[in-house]
Amino acid sequence: MTTKYTTEEIKRKYNDFASIYSTMERVQELLGLRKLRQRLLQRASGEVLEVACGTGANFPYYPQGCAVTAVDLSPAMVKIAEQRTKTVASNINIQLMDAEQLAFPEKSFDTVVSTLTLCTFPDPIAALEEMKRVCRKDGRILLLEHGRSSNRLVGRFQDIREDAHAKRLGCHWNREPLELVEQAGLHPIVTRRTLLGIFHEIEAN
Ligand SMILES: C[S@@+](CC[C@H](N)C(=O)[O-])C[C@H]1O[C@@H](n2cnc3c(N)ncnc32)[C@H](O)[C@@H]1O
């Protein structure tokens, strides 16, 4: 049985994790995430919304000329992200906001970015629908997600450990990102899977 967390519970979890998230970022780098972030974000342009930016791990990789608005639920994660804005060239404005109820009019952004988040959102489909709503018709939604491995044994292990993992990190690691994207009515244009099919790079509109 999978434990479901409310938005308030996820906020509390990430307020607690904020101080150790930089260690988690180093683990992510060992898994090759830096290259994946760079490759994804080079496709960002114009007015950009980053949804659930966390500590701002993507901030160094935005191309010049992007005007970035970033949102997250957790004040402690945002506090670290604010510090990071001082070390990067891009113009980044951060706000506290729920991804499932974005306070922006429809078609406000040229690019919407979200990374390592569909595993954590209490309602990932609602968050994706919001991303689609605020993205301009000719805009891009850029996602870097992890999900259930396409390797049979690893996928099975993720299924067995799903609840224990979610209890610790609030992360449902056997979700299927591409299925969620399609269920939310987005149209994937480019998709690539790496590392035993765990990571997904997705461009959609
Ligand atoms: C695993 S972290 C990923 C952070 C960052 N995107 C990255 O790539 O490192 C998940 C983030 O999602 C945020 N989050 C979870 N649910 C959210 C929601 N409903 N609205 C906004 N942020 C949310 C958490 O606060 C946390 O910062």
Side-chain angles (χ1 to χ4, degrees):
M1 182 68 183
T2 299
T3 308
K4 294 225 185 299
Y5 292 100
T6 64
T7 306
E8 266 314 303
E9 287 167 332
I10 291 292
K11 187 203 285 190
R12 275 202 296 277
K13 269 192 189 295
Y14 275 91
N15 280 340
D16 292 345
F17 289 152
S19 60
I20 57 155
Y21 199 80
S22 57
T23 311
M24 286 160 86
E25 275 182 40
R26 281 196 285 278
V27 175
Q28 292 170 8
E29 284 195 11
L30 291 175
L31 295 173
L33 263 281
R34 181 202 293 253
K35 199 174 122 212
L36 300 188
R37 290 183 192 276
Q38 269 169 339
R39 189 157 68 196
L40 184 81
L41 292 173
Q42 71 191 7
R43 286 183 258 157
S45 62
E47 289 183 76
V48 178
L49 174 67
E50 181 171 339
V51 179
C53 64
T55 55
N58 291 324
F59 291 177
Y61 309 121
Y62 282 107
Q64 266 197 341
C66 287
V68 183
T69 301
V71 302
D72 198 279
L73 199 60
S74 154
M77 296 291 273
V78 162
K79 196 166 166 204
I80 297 170
E82 292 280 9
Q83 290 301 319
R84 213 170 207 153
T85 60
K86 296 176 189 152
T87 66
V88 299
S90 306
N91 173 11
I92 300 175
N93 167 276
I94 311 179
Q95 302 179 33
L96 282 171
M97 200 178 291
D98 183 352
E100 295 169 22
Q101 298 177 58
L102 294 173
F104 303 108
E106 55 189 54
K107 303 187 181 71
S108 302
F109 296 96
D110 301 299
T111 311
V112 179
V113 171
S114 200
T115 63
L116 313 184
T117 56
L118 295 182
C119 56
T120 308
F121 293 141
D123 185 346
I125 294 183
L128 285 164
E129 285 172 347
E130 279 293 85
M131 292 182 213
K132 184 176 164 76
R133 183 183 67 77
V134 301
C135 188
R136 295 191 175 119
K137 274 262 172 301
D138 55 352
R140 296 181 157 145
I141 299 172
L142 302 176
L143 307 171
L144 171 60
E145 293 298 336
H146 69 91
R148 189 179 191 282
S149 173
S150 52
N151 177 285
R152 202 172 54 83
L153 287 179
V154 178
R156 186 75 195 111
F157 174 77
Q158 288 174 295
D159 291 343
I160 292 166
R161 298 291 304 159
E162 202 276 342
D163 200 46
H165 188 72
K167 278 201 172 92
R168 216 170 55 245
L169 298 174
C171 164
H172 301 278
W173 66 354
N174 64 349
R175 285 183 178 168
E176 297 278 6
L178 213 44
E179 284 178 18
L180 294 171
V181 162
E182 281 166 358
Q183 283 166 29
L186 278 65
H187 307 288
I189 311 164
V190 182
T191 63
R192 188 185 338 223
R193 283 179 92 153
T194 47
L195 198 72
L196 299 171
I198 290 172
F199 287 103
H200 296 249
E201 294 163 74
I202 300 171
E203 177 178 338
N205 62 15

